[in-house]
């Protein structure tokens, strides 16, 4: 399991996590924004990928680090001064302004103005899809679920082209499922439970340019895996985008751990994906 404290930065792997309505604890509760409040993303700033933010204690402080740079520890502000923020020009809300020292640290690392914000105590953002659910500063949904069989199937196809396989972190999932023999089984899961948590299918995860970013270095390393995905995973119902993994809503919060069984209670019916129509 992996959560991403700051949207677009390196993930933090854990063996166990509480799960709320907006996902794994601390997942994408922080975000970097431009001077106009729009979010920063690896889509346009791939250098974000290797930057790390680690949540300390019970969430009172953040430790920021990057290779070749001095680290910085800052106190988290849960409530205080607000600023307007936006995601994709479709969701407009507010973020709690954090320590200016963090803004300077990120601006120096990324060589551009960047400010750190956190979700507000009253944050409420509804997703979309079959089960819309809620989300913090994630793109639109609480959880991204992928399976090892899907990655294996993709890498087999990539190998046939003579290119190098890609690791799972290119897709930045929260939950990785092992044991499903068929690739992309996650596409068909309508309702499932993992540990004490119940999840519901929201939509397929349509991929942008981020899977072509090396997550360790922040370097753009395309065209894989997008080139190969485009050869067999285009989704006409999603405007021809290519998919890998599925987005899920949290229907019942709780705690999950590595090794918990994934129990599928209901599968999506055969036929067109119902998410785009919803």
């Amino acid at each position: 399991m992996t959560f991403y404290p700051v949207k677009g930065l390196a993930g933090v792997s854990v063996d166990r996590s509480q799960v709320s309505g907006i996902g794994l604890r601390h997942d994408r509760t922080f975000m970097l924004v431009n001077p106009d409040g729009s979010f920063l993303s690896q889509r346009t700033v791939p250098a974000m990928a290797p930057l790390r933010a680690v949540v300390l204690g019970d969430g009172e402080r953040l430790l920021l680090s990057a290779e070749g740079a001095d680290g910085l520890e800052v106190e988290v502000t849960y409530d205080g001064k607000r600023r307007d923020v936006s995601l994709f020009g479709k969701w407009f809300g507010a973020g709690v302004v954090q320590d200016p020292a963090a803004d300077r640290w990120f601006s120096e690392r990324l060589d551009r103005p960047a400010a750190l914000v956190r979700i507000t105590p009253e944050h409420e953002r509804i997703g979309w899809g079959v089960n819309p659910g809620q989300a913090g500063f994630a793109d639109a949904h609480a959880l991204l679920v992928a399976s090892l069989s899907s990655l294996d199937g993709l890498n087999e196809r990539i190998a046939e082209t003579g290119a190098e396989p890609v690791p799972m972190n290119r897709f930045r999932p929260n939950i990785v499922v092992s044991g499903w023999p068929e690739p992309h089984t996650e596409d068909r899961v309508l309702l499932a439970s993992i540990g004490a948590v119940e999840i519901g299918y929201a939509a397929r995860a349509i991929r942008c340019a981020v899977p072509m970013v090396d997550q360790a270095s922040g370097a753009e390393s395309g065209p894989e895996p997008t080139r190969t995905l485009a050869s067999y995973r285009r989704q006409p119902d999603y405007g021809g985008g290519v998919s890998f993994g599925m987005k899920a809503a949290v229907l019942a919060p709780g705690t999950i751990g590595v090794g918990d069984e994934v129990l599928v209670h209901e599968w999506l019916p055969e036929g067109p994906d119902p998410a785009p129509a919803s």
Side-chain angles (χ1 to χ4, degrees):
M1 294 187 300
T2 304
F3 70 95
Y4 306 84
V6 179
K7 181 180 180 67
L9 269 57
V12 178
S13 296
V14 291
D15 292 332
R16 197 160 188 80
S17 177
Q18 295 175 347
V19 181
S20 71
I22 62 172
L24 299 182
R25 189 182 187 206
H26 301 306
D27 185 52
R28 297 175 175 96
T29 52
F30 295 89
M31 181 169 70
L32 291 173
V33 296
N34 289 301
D36 66 358
S38 60
F39 80 110
L40 286 175
S41 167
Q42 285 187 35
R43 296 166 176 82
T44 54
V45 191
M48 294 170 66
L51 303 185
R52 297 184 63 83
V54 176
V55 180
L56 301 178
D58 199 33
E60 302 91 353
R61 302 185 72 79
L62 273 184
L63 176 61
L64 311 178
S65 63
E67 186 174 353
D70 292 334
L72 177 68
E73 188 173 319
V74 295
E75 186 174 350
V76 173
T77 301
Y78 280 78
D79 200 0
K81 183 180 178 181
R82 315 290 179 88
R83 66 172 297 170
D84 294 336
V85 299
S86 66
L87 282 158
F88 302 105
K90 297 179 179 180
W91 179 82
F92 298 86
V96 178
V97 173
Q98 300 298 301
D99 192 327
D103 299 349
R104 292 191 293 270
W105 190 90
F106 281 116
S107 298
E108 289 173 4
R109 304 286 83 72
L110 299 174
D111 195 26
R112 60 186 296 156
L116 184 67
V117 298
R118 191 184 188 282
I119 59 172
T120 64
E122 70 276 10
H123 179 88
E124 184 176 356
R125 179 170 165 241
I126 306 300
W128 63 275
V130 178
N131 291 286
Q134 299 188 43
F137 285 144
D139 282 356
H141 301 95
L143 297 170
L144 200 162
V145 181
S147 68
L148 289 178
S149 60
S150 299
L151 183 67
D152 290 343
L154 168 62
N155 279 331
E156 287 174 7
R157 292 170 182 263
I158 290 176
E160 291 172 359
T161 72
E164 293 295 317
V166 298
M168 183 63 88
N169 69 3
R170 291 288 190 92
F171 299 100
R172 299 174 63 79
N174 297 116
I175 296 171
V176 177
V177 181
S178 63
W180 282 337
E182 293 296 322
H184 308 293
T185 298
E186 57 269 34
D187 291 351
R188 301 186 292 109
V189 175
L190 178 59
L191 297 172
S193 59
I194 309 171
V197 175
E198 294 181 9
I199 66 172
Y201 177 85
R204 293 196 183 190
I206 302 301
R207 313 313 307 207
C208 57
V210 172
M212 294 187 290
V213 175
D214 184 310
Q215 295 297 300
S217 67
E220 296 178 277
S221 61
E224 297 296 358
T226 302
R227 178 178 64 182
T228 296
L229 279 174
S231 71
Y232 73 109
R233 292 290 295 173
R234 285 204 177 276
Q235 310 297 329
D237 290 347
Y238 292 82
V242 298
S243 73
F244 185 95
M246 73 95 153
K247 301 291 187 74
V250 176
L251 304 182
T255 302
I256 60 175
V258 172
D260 284 347
E261 185 176 5
V262 178
L263 297 174
V264 178
H265 304 295
E266 191 173 347
W267 299 93
L268 279 169
E270 294 290 336
D273 189 320
S278 66

